[in-house]
Amino acid sequence: MAAITDAAGAAGVGARFRTCPVTGLKVERQAELLIRANAVAAVVFLLVGGLFGLLVALTRWPAVHLLPAEWFYIVLTGHGTNVLLFWIIFFEIAVLYFASAILLNCRLATPRLAWLAFALMVIGGMMVDVAVLQGDSTVMFTSYPPMQAMPHFYLGLILFAVGALVGCFIFFGTLVIAREEGTYEGSIPLVTFGALTAAIIAVFTIVSGAIILIPTFLWSLGIISYIDPLMYKLVWWGLGHSSQQVNVSAHVSMWYLIAAIVLGAKPLSEKVSRTAFFLYILFLQLASAHHLLVEPGISSEWKIFNTSYAMYLAVLGSLIHGMTVPGAIEAAQRKRGFTKGAFEWLRKAPWGNPAFAGMFLSLVMFGFLGGITGVVVGTEQLNLIMHNTLYVPGHFHGTVVAGTTLAFMAGTYLLVPLMFRREIMFKRLAQWQPYLFGLGVAGISLFMMGAGTLGVPRRHWDITFSDAVIPYEFSPAAILMMTLNGLSAIMAAIGGFAFILIVVCSILFGKRVDGAEMRKRLDVSPLAGAVGQYGSAGTIKLPGTIILVAVFFVAFVLYYYVNWKYLAQLWPLR
Amino acid sequence: MAIHPPEQRLWWKEHVERTEIIWIAVAFVWGLIMFSTMIAWHVYGRQNLANEAYRVRPEAYVAKVETLAATYKVGEDGASGVPIVRPPPGGDAYLLARIWQWWPILELEKGQSYRLHLSSADWQHGFSLQPVNINIQVHPGYEMILTMTPSEAGEFGIVCNEFCGIGHHTMTGRIRVVEKGEK
């Protein structure tokens, strides 16, 4: 067992610390328990939401067409709320507590309040799920008016958001305490800086949510008579899209975290990586415009400026991370002696370690599947050929599932030994899990985008229109895409359930691990853990990363203009 | 490492390697190019949305569409009984979205421009013209107007791609494009 010592001094009243044998960091008991609680809640909601997602995909598969229409729309509403909000935000609260209390050797601010926040989020989440399953709140994740849900649907969302907001302020409070008590020297670590970015955007996001959801809640009670649908969309997407930027900040932090713990990777340049995070804070909030590109009554000037995050300055942030993260990994690997050719560092990376494999797959797929397509679908005129088609869910399964969810799953493989102090069970299955899930999600993303390019609508129970008075038939290629989407979803679901099985069994029945044994089990680099070895990587040449980035850039440019070519064939509009 | 404080206390003054600077410059310029592409398309491209829209009461819009449909009606669709309406070329074509149909069926001439009016009588709907693949959001209370020039003849489907309740998947409509002067 690791030594658990009572902290001296009045500052950490009642705070009990142990020293982590892997990272050498001091871990406070309450912070550890709260991280565990939030992570467990996250996984439970992932299970619920993931199951809903599988049912959605099996219904969209024309040959299977599993659920009746009413249940399809219920389950689709539940899928969005459970995975996009509850799974991800619970996990993010765990990340915030980890990046503050644990990485800064500090106690967590106001743990009692943190438990209250946790309770609010659990109650809110359950309230929404009850409302959705009762069947009178089938309004989709976006709940656009004039369509109305039951009051407790909105109230549940509000309670959940308040809990998350309290969590953000506990994170800020912990940063203040760490500075006051001098638990670290100089500036906060890069991962904490990224988490700070996420928390700042989260505050903006949740405030937008409050501004629109509170009046909508009152409207559902009959106190307010009218909610303007366009105004609702503008403000709601201040919540809906900005929260995706919270996810981006959080999962990019997770990439840096995993690269640091597993490979001992250092940021190439602290200055560049931090500036990239800072760009997120400045510009990501404009993204509400992505959802308003084909709406009435909004000027093109407004659309162009906002949809491009003021000339793509937030995209610039992601493009920078897209180079500095693999660059940091290459530099670390080259330092360990993998210097042959351009790619020995990549070939000999720990592909059998699910934390690393998940992280790297997340990085690649977020860039190619989520990132490029996000810019394309968010281009003012190109949105015309994609708006509300399956292209949109195809894009965001590339960002939020292949990117965020896979990164968080990868992080969990470190979290279980570090925070739960249990060994990961089913090692073989765990090795395969990121590939199974990753490949499945890549399929979901690609085939939905393919179907969307052929015009298939999103949120639609029957694309064969068998009950429609005026028939329409999509091309056989579209039906094929939906079939492949269903098959991919089965694969992703197997990967997802494998993840939950591994995590739950490891937490409950895994062998307790400590000390040197844990370092060995984690398969972490000897560089890692030695507090004090930090700083910029210096002048190591990175030919592999340069090639990877060049390939990515060429793919980006080509795909971007292919879509303009497609647009040019449309009926003229003005 | 990324989980420890930066080695150089004044990290914002540290030297940045050339590789990173080049990539940042390339990415920044690419951003400017993409930004300019959108603007350039407004000048040189032929597929842009007009920003013309008016607030309208849903009942008033429904009444207007019904009046014009009665004026320009040229027939009825056999199976559905939905009127087929042929607005004057170069004139205004009105389309109504309501649960769960696109009403009426419009008959347009190829190569002619029409001011297409779009609005909803009830909930939000998604105008999705297939297989052309033009997708536009339709709101109740807002009348959006765009000038559309069909460039191919044939039967085109309109499906709804904004969720609008339990009958959403049955919400379809049609635009028929005929050669100039063809009956």
Side-chain angles (χ1 to χ4, degrees):
Chain A
M1 288 297 292
I4 295 176
T5 50
D6 285 302
V13 189
R16 299 191 334 147
F17 289 91
R18 67 178 173 91
T19 302
C20 174
V22 178
T23 56
L25 293 162
K26 276 165 50 183
V27 179
E28 191 243 331
R29 184 71 183 153
Q30 279 297 320
E32 187 176 32
L33 289 177
L34 277 155
I35 290 167
R36 289 183 187 179
N38 280 283
V40 167
V43 170
V44 171
F45 281 108
L46 176 66
L47 175 64
V48 176
L51 188 65
F52 286 164
L54 179 63
L55 294 174
V56 168
L58 291 179
T59 307
R60 277 185 177 149
W61 180 348
V64 178
H65 213 219
L66 185 68
L67 296 178
E70 191 190 355
W71 272 100
F72 172 77
Y73 293 124
I74 287 176
V75 160
L76 186 52
T77 306
H79 174 56
T81 45
N82 279 281
V83 281
L84 195 51
L85 286 177
F86 307 151
W87 140 250
I88 285 183
I89 295 178
F90 267 116
F91 201 92
E92 276 162 358
I93 296 293
V95 170
L96 289 185
Y97 293 167
F98 184 88
S100 54
I102 308 298
L103 290 185
L104 299 179
N105 291 300
C106 184
R107 68 193 165 89
L108 193 73
T110 61
R112 283 214 184 96
L113 206 56
W115 285 110
L116 176 71
F118 175 71
L120 277 175
M121 288 170 68
V122 170
I123 293 167
M126 285 167 56
M127 197 183 272
V128 170
D129 276 348
V130 168
V132 169
L133 290 172
Q134 280 173 330
D136 289 327
S137 299
T138 310
V139 291
M140 300 293 130
F141 169 63
T142 44
S143 54
Y144 291 149
M147 197 174 274
Q148 199 176 59
M150 299 295 284
H152 54 295
F153 175 84
Y154 305 109
L155 185 62
L157 289 177
I158 292 167
L159 291 180
F160 184 85
V162 170
L165 188 63
V166 172
C168 290
F169 279 99
I170 287 166
F171 169 78
F172 297 136
T174 307
L175 294 188
V176 173
I177 290 175
R179 174 146 295 258
E180 293 274 299
E181 295 181 358
T183 60
Y184 66 99
E185 276 183 33
S187 302
I188 54 176
L190 178 62
V191 171
T192 311
F193 191 91
L196 176 60
T197 306
I200 290 171
I201 302 172
V203 171
F204 168 85
T205 296
I206 295 168
V207 169
S208 300
I211 290 173
I212 198 64
L213 284 173
I214 291 171
T216 309
F217 170 58
L218 297 175
W219 169 67
S220 73
L221 289 172
I223 297 171
I224 288 177
S225 62
Y226 180 70
I227 299 279
D228 183 274
L230 203 53
M231 184 271 295
Y232 176 94
K233 273 187 107 167
L234 172 71
V235 186
W236 193 91
W237 281 109
L239 163 80
H241 206 111
S242 305
S243 63
Q244 306 320 312
Q245 328 294 7
V246 178
N247 301 343
V248 173
S249 306
H251 79 226
V252 172
S253 303
M254 187 61 79
W255 294 344
Y256 281 114
L257 177 76
I258 293 172
I261 294 181
V262 176
L263 296 171
K266 305 166 184 180
L268 296 175
S269 152
E270 293 277 356
K271 181 172 163 180
V272 170
S273 294
R274 282 167 201 249
T275 307
F277 274 121
F278 193 59
L279 286 172
Y280 287 163
I281 300 181
L282 292 182
F283 299 105
L284 278 178
Q285 282 84 340
L286 309 181
S288 174
H290 291 181
H291 304 265
L292 301 166
L293 295 174
V294 293
E295 313 288 308
I298 298 171
S299 78
S300 290
E301 292 83 351
W302 187 92
K303 287 175 183 171
I304 289 175
F305 180 81
N306 287 284
T307 198
S308 68
Y309 305 109
M311 303 189 201
Y312 294 101
L313 291 175
V315 172
L316 179 63
S318 289
L319 289 173
I320 293 173
H321 290 306
M323 185 221 163
T324 58
V325 174
I329 292 170
E330 180 172 2
Q333 285 283 79
R334 283 182 185 275
K335 265 195 181 158
R336 295 169 84 190
F338 300 116
T339 50
K340 242 186 276 160
F343 288 112
E344 195 197 13
W345 64 275
L346 193 59
R347 277 200 318 275
K348 300 213 169 141
W351 295 105
N353 179 339
F356 176 82
M359 175 261 147
F360 207 87
L361 287 176
S362 161
L363 168 69
V364 171
M365 295 202 289
F366 177 77
F368 280 91
L369 294 179
I372 293 177
T373 62
V375 169
V376 168
V377 73
T379 299
E380 192 208 0
Q381 295 93 339
L382 296 180
N383 192 254
L384 266 170
I385 54 177
M386 293 161 182
H387 174 78
N388 269 2
T389 65
L390 268 180
Y391 192 94
V392 178
H395 149 68
F396 69 68
H397 280 74
T399 57
V400 178
V401 192
T404 309
T405 298
L406 192 52
F408 287 179
M409 284 177 169
T412 308
Y413 288 113
L414 297 180
L415 193 71
V416 169
L418 291 175
M419 290 288 106
F420 291 86
R421 282 182 281 164
R422 300 279 191 164
E423 196 181 322
I424 293 287
M425 289 175 73
F426 314 121
K427 282 269 158 51
R428 292 296 290 184
L429 185 62
Q431 282 188 349
W432 284 100
Q433 189 274 332
Y435 299 100
L436 262 178
F437 186 76
L439 210 62
V441 174
I444 291 176
S445 176
L446 279 170
F447 297 127
M448 279 207 279
M449 286 193 280
T453 307
L454 298 167
V456 177
R458 69 186 291 199
R459 297 173 166 177
H460 202 280
W461 178 65
D462 178 21
I463 61 161
T464 62
F465 302 101
S466 46
D467 299 332
V469 189
I470 300 175
Y472 181 74
E473 213 174 297
F474 278 108
S475 68
I479 306 295
L480 175 68
M481 290 288 174
M482 297 320 293
T483 305
L484 292 171
N485 175 57
L487 288 168
S488 305
I490 290 175
M491 188 172 176
I494 293 172
F497 290 129
F499 170 76
I500 289 164
L501 181 79
I502 292 163
V503 171
V504 171
C505 287
S506 302
I507 289 171
L508 293 178
F509 314 114
K511 204 174 124 209
R512 291 182 185 277
V513 278
D514 267 304
E517 188 195 9
M518 177 144 100
R519 281 188 59 171
K520 211 176 95 216
R521 301 255 178 229
L522 266 174
D523 187 18
V524 296
S525 141
L527 268 177
V531 182
Q533 293 186 358
Y534 45 68
S536 300
T539 50
I540 290 178
K541 291 277 173 284
L542 308 168
T545 299
I546 293 172
I547 294 171
L548 290 180
V549 168
V551 168
F552 172 79
F553 185 67
V554 170
F556 193 168
V557 174
L558 286 178
Y559 185 69
Y560 181 75
Y561 284 110
V562 161
N563 279 286
W564 281 103
K565 177 123 180 39
Y566 179 23
L567 177 77
Q569 293 161 0
L570 242 58
W571 296 2
L573 294 170
R574 63 192 148 79
Chain B
M1 289 198 291
I3 57 172
H4 299 129
E7 194 167 61
Q8 298 180 27
R9 260 190 109 95
L10 304 180
W11 54 264
W12 55 91
K13 286 189 177 168
E14 74 184 9
H15 170 73
V16 177
E17 287 300 315
R18 210 165 60 110
T19 320
E20 280 179 279
I21 291 180
I22 293 172
W23 174 236
I24 292 167
V26 168
F28 179 72
V29 170
W30 173 233
L32 292 183
I33 292 172
M34 290 193 293
F35 183 77
S36 315
T37 306
M38 285 192 283
I39 297 169
W41 199 260
H42 275 279
V43 181
Y44 304 106
R46 299 208 303 157
Q47 291 80 11
N48 289 290
L49 276 186
N51 297 309
E52 189 176 352
Y54 303 94
R55 276 183 192 278
V56 64
R57 280 186 306 109
E59 311 82 70
Y61 187 77
V62 173
K64 184 118 192 222
V65 178
E66 281 172 353
T67 312
L68 284 160
T71 314
Y72 297 113
K73 184 173 164 178
V74 291
E76 250 175 38
D77 179 60
S80 62
V82 176
I84 299 169
V85 174
R86 188 166 183 168
D92 295 82
Y94 280 76
L95 189 63
L96 172 67
R98 65 182 167 201
I99 48 177
W100 288 286
Q101 62 176 177
W102 296 98
W103 194 95
I105 292 174
L106 293 173
E107 190 173 281
L108 309 176
E109 282 184 19
K110 184 181 154 186
Q112 296 283 355
S113 295
Y114 295 87
R115 276 166 57 82
L116 179 67
H117 296 241
L118 287 170
S119 191
S120 163
D122 35 62
W123 288 343
Q124 288 189 40
H125 296 284
F127 172 87
S128 180
L129 185 69
Q130 296 300 336
V132 187
N133 210 2
I134 292 173
N135 303 281
I136 294 166
Q137 189 81 12
V138 181
H139 284 257
Y142 290 90
E143 179 177 348
M144 189 178 191
I145 303 165
L146 47 130
T147 303
M148 182 185 264
T149 316
S151 54
E152 51 193 329
E155 299 267 331
F156 299 91
I158 309 171
V159 306
C160 179
N161 67 12
E162 182 57 76
F163 174 68
C164 56
I166 190 66
H168 167 51
H169 47 271
T170 64
M171 180 164 170
T172 51
R174 188 173 292 158
I175 288 182
R176 176 186 286 176
V177 181
V178 297
E179 295 292 340
K180 216 168 178 175
E182 182 188 324
K183 260 314 290 170

